[in-house]
Amino acid sequence: MPPRVRFAPSPTGYLHVGGARTALFNWLYARRHGGTFILRIEDTDVERSSADMISGILSSMTWLGLTWDEGPGVGGPHAPYFQTERLDKYRAAAARLVESGAAYYCYCRPEDLAAKRAAAEAAGSAWMYDRTCVVLSPEEVAAREGAREPRAVRFFVPAGGTTFTDLVRGHIAFAREHIEDFVILRSDGYPTYHLSVVVDDVEMEITQVVRGDDHISNTPKQVLLYEAMGATIPDFAHVPLILGPDKKRLSKRHGATSVGEYETQDYLPEAMINFLALLGWSPGGNQEVFSREELVERFTLDGISGGNAVFNSEKLDWFNQQHIMRLPADDILRRLTPAITAAGLWRDSFFTTDADWIGKVIELLKPRARKLGDIVPALAPFVADIVVYDEAAVTKHLKVAGVAAHLSAWLQVVEGLPSLEPAATEAALRVLAAARGIKPGVLIHATRVAVVGQSVSPGLFEVLDLVGRDRVAERLRAYAS
Ligand code: GLU
C-alpha cells in the first residue's frame, strides 16, 4: 500500500520554517514511495484562524513546490479538507464513543472546575478531572440531556499502560494514570484537537504521521482514541525542533521565520527546500547540494535525526548561491522577465535572435549573484544604451592625469581589432600598456569604469566581448582625449 501522509497546519499564523520542513518531509516521503500527500487545514480555533493565514499558507506551499494531491483547491475522496467543514464527523465520532462507553458526558461547569483546580493548586497538588460525571446514572444523563444542559464529552482513560513506536524516537511507553479524562468535544460542539486530528487521520487513511516534536506529548491520548475507535494506529515520526544559532527555539528574534519572508527576500525555492531538508535529516555522505528530484530519491524517515537542528541563515545564503549556479540561463531569464521588464531592460529578442548572447551574459553574471535579482541591475551595462556612472569610480580611475590620452590610444587599438575575443583583447591591452610604459591595471580599471560605470565587474575581457566592440568603442570615446 503506498503511504498516505498529511500536513495539517492550523492557520493561526503564516507558514513558518518549522511547519514548512514538516510539510517537506511528508511531501518527500509521499513522492519517494508514490504515495499521497494530503493538505488539511485545522481551523477549528475559529478565533485565531483567518482566511488570510490560509491563503498565505497555500501560497507559501505552492512557492516551495509542495504540491498536494488532496486538499484545498484540488479536493479528493475525503473532502472537505477544512476541519470547520467537518464538524458533523467529529460530533458523530464523539457520540459513537459515548455509546460504546469509551467517553461520557460531562456537565461540570467551567467555573466549578476552575475552583477545584485552584483549590488543589493552593494545596500544592496537581489536579486532574475527578470524574464527577462518570458516575451519573443513565436516567440522570437522560434527564440532563432532555433539559439541554450544556455539556462536554470526555474520554474515559482506562487504567494501564500503553506504548507506541516513534520512527525517530523509538519505543515510547506511558502510564495512563497521569492522563486525565480529557475533553474531546466541547460544550459549544467544537472538537478538541485530539478528537479532530484522530477522526480525520483515520478517515483519510493516514499511514504515517510525520509532525513536529511538540506533538509527542499529545500522542498517548491520540493512541487511546485510535484504540477506542478500533482503528489502525499509524506510524508516528516526530521531527525534532528547529533552533536558532543560540540553541533556543527558533523565533522572530533570530530573524525571518516565515516562508513568505524568504520569498520576498528573493531566495530560490530550490535553495529553501534543500536547506530545510537538511535541517534534521541526513542522507548520509558528504553531498550537500541536492535538487528536488535527488531529495525525493534519497529521502527516508529513518534519516531523520533525534537531535534538534540549528537554523543557520549563512548556510541558507550559501545554498542559494549554489542553486543559482545550477540554474540554466534560459530558466533564469524566464524567472527574471518581470523584474527585467520593470527595470526597462527587456528586449523580446532575448528569447530569439539574442538568446545566445544574453545566455552568455547571464552565465557571466551568475557567480556574483547572491540573490537571483542581483542579476537584473548587472545586466544594464550590456543591455542599456546609457551607462550609469559611479562618480567615485570615475574620479578614481578616469579623471586622472594622462588617462584620457591612454584611452585614446586604446580606443584606436580596439577599433582595429576584428572582434573583442577575450584572450586577443587582453594581449592587445598588455602590448599597449608596455608600449606606453604604464601598468596594464591603469587601462584595465579605466576601461572597466568607462564601459560598465563601476569599479567592479566580472572578468573585464569577457565583459568587453559581450558588450560588443562598437559599444565599447563608443564608451571609451567619451573619456578619451
Ligand atoms: N494542527 C496541528 C498544528 O498545526 C498539527 C497537528 C498534527 O500534525 O497532528 O500544530
Side-chain angles (χ1 to χ4, degrees):
M1 275 288 283
R4 291 178 55 84
V5 292
R6 81 322 192 258
F7 176 53
S10 302
T12 53
Y14 292 109
L15 182 65
H16 60 87
V17 291
R21 188 202 42 180
T22 300
L24 172 62
F25 285 0
N26 278 286
W27 183 89
L28 287 171
Y29 189 69
R31 294 293 171 264
R32 171 79 183 81
H33 297 284
T36 303
F37 175 57
I38 296 154
L39 176 62
R40 182 173 74 224
I41 305 295
E42 304 209 321
D43 55 350
T44 54
D45 184 347
V46 191
E47 239 132 68
R48 292 174 58 229
S49 299
S50 78
D52 240 23
M53 297 301 176
I54 294 172
S55 60
I57 291 170
L58 300 189
S59 115
S60 288
M61 301 247 323
T62 304
W63 178 69
L64 287 170
L66 302 179
T67 45
W68 52 98
D69 309 307
E70 294 178 23
V74 297
H78 300 290
Y81 292 89
F82 290 86
Q83 287 192 327
T84 46
E85 295 170 21
R86 303 173 60 81
L87 297 174
D88 287 352
K89 295 181 190 294
Y90 313 132
R91 291 170 189 159
R96 280 197 301 273
L97 288 169
V98 170
E99 196 143 313
S100 71
Y104 59 92
Y105 293 135
C106 171
Y107 302 92
C108 293
R109 298 182 313 164
E111 53 272 32
D112 295 336
L113 294 174
K116 286 182 184 178
R117 179 178 304 278
E121 279 167 9
S125 52
W127 189 76
M128 282 194 355
Y129 180 62
D130 57 8
R131 294 190 159 162
T132 302
C133 293
V134 94
V135 294
L136 299 179
S137 67
E139 296 71 35
E140 188 161 0
V141 169
R144 295 175 88 160
E145 285 297 291
R148 295 183 109 37
E149 262 191 57
R151 45 87 174 150
V153 177
R154 280 187 191 270
F155 184 79
F156 181 84
V157 177
T162 302
T163 59
F164 66 94
T165 303
D166 186 275
L167 299 177
V168 178
R169 292 303 188 84
H171 197 64
I172 296 181
F174 56 93
R176 295 179 193 161
E177 72 229 38
H178 303 302
I179 304 176
E180 74 171 352
D181 287 355
F182 52 98
V183 171
I184 54 176
L185 195 74
R186 296 195 312 239
S187 58
D188 60 5
Y190 272 74
T192 59
Y193 157 64
H194 298 299
L195 180 67
S196 53
V197 83
V198 173
V199 167
D200 286 349
D201 285 345
V202 170
E203 195 195 292
M204 296 179 184
E205 301 168 273
I206 300 302
T207 51
Q208 278 81 18
V209 170
V210 182
R211 61 184 173 192
D213 224 353
D214 44 341
H215 287 296
I216 204 154
S217 59
N218 294 325
T219 310
K221 290 180 187 167
Q222 295 171 13
V223 168
L224 291 174
L225 280 169
Y226 280 101
E227 285 171 346
M229 290 177 187
T232 311
I233 299 172
D235 295 332
F236 291 96
H238 286 95
V239 180
L241 285 180
I242 299 180
L243 306 179
D246 58 359
K247 307 281 156 66
K248 302 254 167 64
R249 190 181 180 146
L250 187 70
S251 76
K252 275 265 162 249
R253 278 181 305 116
H254 298 107
T257 53
S258 80
V259 172
E261 286 171 275
Y262 288 97
E263 179 181 0
T264 311
Q265 290 173 18
D266 194 23
Y267 284 90
L268 291 181
E270 290 91 336
M272 203 69 202
I273 288 284
N274 191 165
F275 173 69
L276 290 175
L278 297 185
L279 280 182
W281 171 75
S282 161
N286 294 329
Q287 185 181 342
E288 287 193 286
V289 181
F290 291 94
S291 68
R292 186 184 297 273
E293 295 70 32
E294 289 172 309
L295 290 171
V296 167
E297 231 166 75
R298 308 281 286 272
F299 190 77
T300 56
L301 288 176
D302 51 24
I304 298 174
S305 84
N308 290 329
V310 175
F311 189 96
N312 175 345
S313 52
E314 282 154 27
K315 192 76 193 190
L316 173 59
D317 288 343
W318 180 82
F319 276 117
N320 201 53
Q321 271 184 305
Q322 297 300 314
H323 281 276
I324 290 176
M325 288 303 291
R326 285 178 148 217
L327 284 184
D330 61 327
D331 189 347
I332 294 184
L333 198 59
R334 260 191 303 278
R335 295 187 200 214
L336 289 179
T337 301
I340 298 174
T341 306
L345 297 171
W346 185 258
R347 291 189 201 153
D348 288 337
S349 59
F350 286 168
F351 280 133
T352 56
T353 46
D354 283 331
D356 251 22
W357 169 76
I358 197 72
K360 287 181 188 149
V361 172
I362 289 175
E363 287 300 334
L364 185 65
L365 298 175
K366 235 163 69 164
R368 303 174 74 91
R370 290 175 58 80
K371 300 284 177 63
L372 199 64
D374 293 349
I375 291 175
V376 177
L379 283 174
F382 298 89
V383 175
D385 292 324
I386 296 164
V387 178
V388 180
Y389 288 95
D390 167 22
E391 275 314 312
V394 170
T395 307
K396 184 159 173 214
H397 297 295
L398 291 172
K399 294 188 176 159
V400 177
V403 162
H406 295 317
L407 282 184
S408 179
W410 175 225
L411 172 62
Q412 280 188 11
V413 173
V414 165
E415 285 179 322
L417 289 170
S419 79
L420 295 189
E421 190 280 315
T425 311
E426 176 166 7
L429 180 139
R430 290 184 187 276
V431 169
L432 178 69
R436 296 183 68 89
I438 54 172
K439 288 187 183 151
V442 174
L443 278 176
I444 290 176
H445 293 311
T447 303
R448 175 177 284 123
V449 179
V451 174
V452 179
Q454 312 276 327
S455 52
V456 287
S457 77
L460 177 66
F461 298 101
E462 281 77 25
V463 170
L464 298 182
D465 188 23
L466 289 170
V467 170
R469 198 188 48 184
D470 292 350
R471 287 189 141 175
V472 169
E474 185 188 307
R475 292 175 195 177
L476 290 176
R477 205 169 291 124
Y479 288 95
S481 60

